[in-house]
Amino acid sequence: MPKLTLPKPAGGLQLNFCKTLACRNFGLSDEERYALQRTNPLRPALVCNECGAFPPLLNNQSVLDEKHRQETEQYGASASCSNPDCAHHNKPQAVHPEFYHAFGFSGKRQRYRCKNCSTTFVDPWSVVNPKLDIQQQILAYLFTGHTARDICRRTGINPKSFYDHLRNIAKRCQHRLSVTDSKILSKQHPLSLSSFLSPLQTTAENGVLWLSTSENQSGYVFSDTINYLDDDTDTATFEHDPYVANANMYA
Ligand SMILES: [Zn+2]
Ligand SMILES: [Zn+2]
């Protein structure tokens, strides 16, 4: 078998190791514990010398990139330091007030300055929602089963405004949720979580999966995500290559 070189660690993470709990190599990434199998040259696989399992070969950087993408999805709607290189990026002011100074106002909205990198940003949620009435109407119609076309007709808005309102409502909910999530996460230790993966549209067979993760005792859902991005990156490939920098795949 060819000599094994593991994909480079990223941010101190090396996720290529045996995943069999009872195996002596579980969690260990020393290269001599594994062999490389290239039966399918496009999908090199790791073989555990101890138990013979085939843990998938992972691109560590891609796993980190996905973690950052998920964090942005979870916390990006809340006001936080906008500098992507700062340790306070995606750490919402509403959850971590100690990371920021109040720094005047922009119109009526509160402005903050990051204590770490001095970047300033405005909290879009610090004013009363000026679109509250129309958004409450839209939600009421949605919850009672009206179609998008019907809602546009009844409220006198065009489809683009309808979807803009929906995005805005979703962002507002995401902002509120990130505060609740963080409160639970900071209070409850240890936290016991379960994840469930299922097809998003059971009859479509389009490969889109729905992954939700919740807390075991309460059933509180921490994360709800799908393996589909509507903004394809230029560098996406059809095969996952654990050794190249951007191993995003087309679904
Ligand atoms: Zn093993
Ligand atoms: Zn910062």
Side-chain angles (χ1 to χ4, degrees):
M1 280 189 189
K3 190 185 167 313
L4 170 74
T5 313
L6 288 176
K8 276 200 201 111
L13 268 191
Q14 175 54 273
L15 298 162
N16 293 289
F17 50 77
C18 181
K19 311 292 191 298
T20 310
L21 284 172
C23 177
R24 259 195 290 172
N25 285 351
F26 174 76
L28 301 175
S29 293
D30 316 77
E31 300 195 343
E32 66 275 12
R33 295 176 188 273
Y34 304 95
L36 188 68
Q37 198 191 55
R38 281 197 176 267
T39 315
N40 176 352
L42 290 173
R43 299 228 171 135
L46 209 55
V47 187
C48 174
N49 288 340
E50 196 67 35
C51 73
F54 294 86
L57 211 46
L58 299 171
N59 184 314
N60 298 301
Q61 185 58 50
S62 294
V63 176
L64 261 197
D65 291 348
E66 175 60 14
K67 175 178 172 277
H68 292 146
R69 191 188 70 77
Q70 296 255 354
E71 276 172 355
T72 302
E73 206 156 275
Q74 190 135 10
Y75 298 114
S78 299
S80 75
C81 177
S82 53
N83 171 7
D85 299 323
C86 176
H88 295 173
H89 182 59
N90 282 338
K91 301 277 187 296
Q93 187 280 332
V95 178
H96 300 282
E98 72 279 13
F99 289 171
Y100 306 101
H101 290 295
F103 199 66
F105 290 87
S106 169
K108 284 186 176 166
R109 297 179 307 171
Q110 178 69 53
R111 189 200 302 277
Y112 292 98
R113 186 162 75 170
C114 175
K115 287 185 187 175
N116 189 39
C117 74
S118 298
T119 297
T120 62
F121 58 91
V122 169
D123 181 0
W125 312 112
S126 55
V127 286
V128 175
N129 183 2
K131 295 164 185 161
L132 184 66
D133 288 344
I134 177 75
Q135 293 187 346
Q136 275 184 342
Q137 272 182 42
I138 291 175
L139 273 186
Y141 283 130
L142 278 173
F143 285 145
T144 45
H146 293 266
T147 61
R149 184 190 301 237
D150 191 24
I151 296 172
C152 288
R153 191 177 53 76
R154 285 167 184 261
T155 53
I157 57 173
N158 62 40
K160 186 186 172 299
S161 312
F162 171 76
Y163 287 106
D164 285 347
H165 278 303
L166 276 197
R167 263 189 289 274
N168 189 269
I169 293 168
K171 269 192 166 183
R172 187 171 285 272
C173 293
Q174 197 64 57
H175 164 64
R176 289 288 169 99
L177 271 179
S178 67
V179 176
T180 311
D181 289 355
S182 304
K183 275 186 188 154
I184 297 175
L185 286 170
S186 65
K187 270 187 198 150
Q188 219 166 318
H189 291 287
L191 204 63
S192 160
L193 301 173
S194 294
S195 291
F196 189 68
L197 194 65
S198 61
L200 181 69
Q201 293 161 300
T202 42
T203 52
E205 291 185 14
N206 54 14
V208 180
L209 297 171
W210 176 21
L211 174 68
S212 45
T213 300
S214 55
E215 200 276 315
N216 282 337
Q217 293 287 312
S218 59
Y220 179 84
V221 176
F222 273 107
S223 146
D224 223 1
T225 181
I226 56 173
N227 65 336
Y228 172 81
L229 294 179
D230 51 12
D231 53 335
D232 267 344
T233 54
D234 293 343
T235 49
T237 55
F238 284 98
E239 295 287 346
H240 171 84
D241 186 334
Y243 296 97
V244 299
N246 187 342
N248 256 351
M249 265 172 63
Y250 287 115

